Amino acid sequence: MNSLPELPLVGQSFNYAQHALATNQGRPNKLAYIDDLGTLSYAQLDERVRLMAGALRASGLKREERVLLLMQDCNDWPVSFLGAIYAGIVPVAVNTLLTADDYAYMLEHSRAQAVLVSGSLLPTLIAAMTRSDHEVQRVIVSRPATPLHPSEIEIEAFLNNATPAVKPAPTGGDDPCFWLYSSGSTGRPKGTVHSHANPFFTTELYGKAVLKIREDDVCFSAAKLFFAYGLGNALTFPLGVGATTVLMAERPTPDATFARWTQAKPTVFFGAPTGFAGMLAHPNLPKRSAVTLRLVSSAGEALPAEIGERFKAHFGVDIVDGIGSTEMLHVFMSNTPEKVCYGTTGWPVPGYDIELRGEDGQAVPDGEPGDLYIHGPSSALMYWGNRVKSRETFQGGWTKSGDKYVRNPDGTYTYSGRSDDMLKVSGIYVSPFEVEGTLIQHPSVLEAAVIGVADADGLTKTKAYVVLKNGLTVTEDELKAFVKDRLAPYKYPRQIEFVADLPKTATGKIQRFKLRDLNK
């Protein structure tokens, strides 16, 4: 195995939030965060994190109890996340694009005792709480948009009444630190439990050793903090070296991204292939001279070579493509700033080992696709309350990713699809079964099958094949709206094709591979 950096342990104690604050004690006046409304220096971050820890403890929350973090990217996000961790409380960072039903499940599954929520998302949270039997003790609101109910408290009032925590919770490197939810091909999202040591290892092995993030960098991530990728990009990596981070609450549209590039002048940008494709096609694409980018990273889905080459031609900077996962916390295989091989995902990150295995569990030779397994120090502890899925994914030190790869003669790896039917659209997993199950709820739909198809840039988009009931009709736009009303909006099928029947086996199983063949 590759050698690993040693945790900076004091005895057997390691608290990630304490480590992040201690790393930056020598730069109190340096800007840590810049969001849409203001700035936060490292001294202010330290003060507010300790106040948050003290306030949460004073609210009656105990060690290892969970708090739901449902917040747009802003300066209150790292304060809330690190404050909970400093207190030994476990933040559960969740996607801000989901439905009230999704949040109701997450509240019940995590048994969250409190919620830290953006004011713009408070109505959705309230709807979720009314649909859940689980009782939340405190609702703490960042930047409320309307007057609050007496049971809710604005975050500034919450902190102003607090006594700062002097000492962190005496946690260990293997203690539960935070959760992220990971989607599956069937069933509910899985609560992925990460330890205090895991963000330390991803920062040391990838943020510092491969990407070489520096103290003088200004980092900006299109991927939001609730993603494992975004959490490293905009929190653990910059905090690991004392860099400055730009946070943006709104969606990372091309125009919103360009505005930050040209005004905040980031030196490091973290994006995803779908975003890069949209930016390159946009009429307002800035000139090379208008930006200060020295490093550009991509993950979330495989980067088509043509997009990387076009970006390099325009800006003079390579896109460093890699692959990570919620279960491994961040990137474990990647190109490097010094060596980019477009069309591949590069090489294993030092500190991680990769195996490609066939259906018999044995290693496959170079050139043949195999299931991707990873051995490394940042693997999650488990899926909370899901022993079956935990055992399927976390296998004796190895983590099964669900992706298929081919190892090339030069040691690089090329993406070869998923081991299951999951689709990755704009870097976010979408279950075709969930979309199909929603489509057939429409009174006009008899059957549906959802697949991924490549667009002109080689990126995956969802397409639904729909069989209607005899004598009934519905338009494509009506069906799209129907799905958007019932699922998170990003899950709706981008294309819908009405067909007389679906290809099936003799036993009636839909043959999705035949539908995929139609789109090659």
Side-chain angles (χ1 to χ4, degrees):
M1 297 293 175
N2 293 298
S3 61
L4 298 175
E6 292 186 7
L7 278 170
L9 294 177
V10 178
Q12 294 300 310
S13 179
F14 181 76
N15 180 290
Y16 172 71
Q18 178 197 30
H19 169 70
L21 296 182
T23 299
N24 295 290
Q25 282 183 342
R27 48 180 74 91
N29 298 321
K30 174 83 183 292
L31 284 184
Y33 285 97
I34 303 169
D35 73 1
D36 299 333
L37 298 180
T39 63
L40 201 63
S41 70
Y42 272 105
Q44 291 169 325
L45 176 66
D46 188 294
E47 178 186 23
R48 288 175 70 83
V49 165
R50 295 175 193 272
L51 282 170
M52 178 61 73
L56 291 172
R57 286 176 178 171
S59 296
L61 275 79
K62 305 293 192 299
R63 273 189 63 177
E64 296 191 15
E65 287 186 329
R66 272 77 64 192
V67 293
L68 203 75
L69 180 50
L70 174 58
M71 196 177 288
Q72 306 285 4
D73 282 16
C74 66
N75 291 344
D76 287 338
W77 205 107
V79 168
S80 301
F81 184 77
L82 294 170
I85 293 171
Y86 195 87
I89 296 160
V90 178
V92 180
V94 297
N95 190 330
T96 58
L97 305 173
L98 302 179
T99 66
D101 285 340
D102 293 318
Y103 298 132
Y105 167 76
M106 291 171 178
L107 286 170
E108 293 178 356
H109 181 250
S110 68
R111 299 192 282 277
Q113 296 301 300
V115 182
L116 291 142
V117 60
S118 287
S120 59
L121 297 169
L122 183 58
T124 307
L125 172 67
I126 293 171
M129 291 169 63
T130 62
R131 301 176 194 186
S132 169
D133 293 330
H134 175 71
E135 186 175 349
V136 173
Q137 303 302 314
R138 295 302 300 265
V139 175
I140 303 141
V141 185
S142 170
R143 301 174 180 176
T146 56
L148 298 180
H149 187 272
S151 63
E152 301 153 357
I153 184 169
E154 198 267 332
I155 200 168
E156 292 302 324
F158 187 63
L159 297 182
N160 287 340
N161 296 329
T163 299
V166 177
K167 294 182 179 180
T171 52
D174 287 335
D175 284 348
C177 183
F178 61 92
W179 292 18
L180 302 171
Y181 272 97
S182 176
S183 298
S185 57
T186 58
R188 291 289 196 175
K190 303 181 292 292
T192 310
V193 183
H194 279 286
S195 72
H196 281 262
N198 286 1
F200 166 81
F201 281 121
T202 57
T203 300
E204 295 295 316
L205 295 174
Y206 191 62
K208 291 184 179 180
V210 175
L211 296 182
K212 297 181 174 62
I213 307 296
R214 307 187 309 230
E215 181 180 4
D216 62 347
D217 276 322
V218 176
C219 300
F220 173 45
S221 176
K224 300 299 185 180
L225 281 161
F226 62 76
F227 288 115
Y229 179 49
L231 183 65
N233 304 342
L235 194 142
T236 63
F237 292 0
L239 292 182
V241 298
T244 298
T245 301
V246 176
L247 295 177
M248 178 177 73
E250 65 184 298
R251 289 178 54 247
T253 62
D255 279 330
T257 301
F258 299 157
R260 272 70 181 183
W261 281 5
T262 56
Q263 295 168 21
K265 296 291 186 179
T267 57
V268 180
F269 177 69
F270 302 88
T274 297
F276 288 119
M279 288 186 285
L280 289 170
H282 200 278
N284 296 333
L285 183 70
K287 296 179 180 179
R288 181 187 298 194
S289 59
V291 304
T292 54
L293 299 174
R294 73 165 190 87
L295 174 67
V296 177
S297 165
S298 178
E301 54 190 323
L303 178 74
E306 188 260 350
I307 291 177
E309 290 162 354
R310 285 169 53 204
F311 191 94
K312 173 68 177 294
H314 185 86
F315 289 108
V317 181
D318 277 308
I319 298 177
V320 179
D321 186 36
I323 180 176
S325 69
T326 304
E327 290 75 10
M328 294 303 297
L329 188 56
H330 212 275
V331 170
F332 50 79
M333 184 162 64
S334 179
N335 287 270
T336 71
E338 299 81 15
K339 189 175 183 181
V340 171
C341 186
Y342 285 124
T344 80
T345 313
W347 300 264
V349 170
Y352 294 86
D353 291 282
I354 300 296
E355 284 190 5
L356 300 183
R357 302 177 187 175
E359 293 183 2
D360 60 0
Q362 300 302 306
V364 299
D366 286 1
E368 291 189 15
D371 291 318
L372 176 63
Y373 287 75
I374 312 102
H375 189 290
S378 61
S379 177
L381 298 174
M382 70 180 106
Y383 296 131
W384 181 264
N386 196 333
R387 183 180 296 187
V388 171
K389 290 294 184 183
S390 293
R391 286 177 169 175
E392 287 178 4
T393 299
F394 308 109
Q395 302 180 14
W398 291 88
T399 300
K400 184 178 182 181
S401 76
D403 296 295
K404 284 186 178 291
Y405 265 84
V406 172
R407 187 179 188 274
N408 304 310
D410 62 357
T412 59
Y413 289 77
T414 300
Y415 181 66
S416 187
R418 288 285 300 173
S419 305
D420 53 26
D421 284 307
M422 291 292 287
L423 305 172
K424 225 171 190 185
V425 181
S426 300
I428 307 177
Y429 280 119
V430 175
S431 169
F433 306 107
E434 183 182 24
V435 181
E436 290 165 2
T438 303
L439 284 167
I440 62 175
Q441 293 175 25
H442 192 282
S444 295
V445 175
L446 176 65
E447 291 181 309
V450 174
I451 63 169
V453 298
D455 67 8
D457 292 309
L459 299 168
T460 299
K461 305 297 180 188
T462 44
K463 180 175 182 178
Y465 287 88
V466 172
V467 179
L468 297 178
K469 295 176 182 176
N470 285 336
L472 299 181
T473 61
V474 64
T475 68
E476 182 175 350
D477 287 342
E478 287 171 342
L479 268 187
K480 288 180 179 179
F482 182 83
V483 175
K484 286 182 180 180
D485 285 343
R486 287 156 179 79
L487 298 179
Y490 65 86
K491 296 180 180 181
Y492 82 95
R494 280 14 179 217
Q495 301 176 46
I496 296 178
E497 183 173 334
F498 296 102
V499 293
D501 53 49
L502 297 173
K504 297 177 182 176
T505 65
T507 58
K509 185 177 180 180
I510 295 172
Q511 295 173 308
R512 289 182 181 80
F513 72 93
K514 290 189 175 180
L515 297 175
R516 287 191 284 265
D517 288 344
L518 294 174
N519 292 274
K520 289 182 177 178

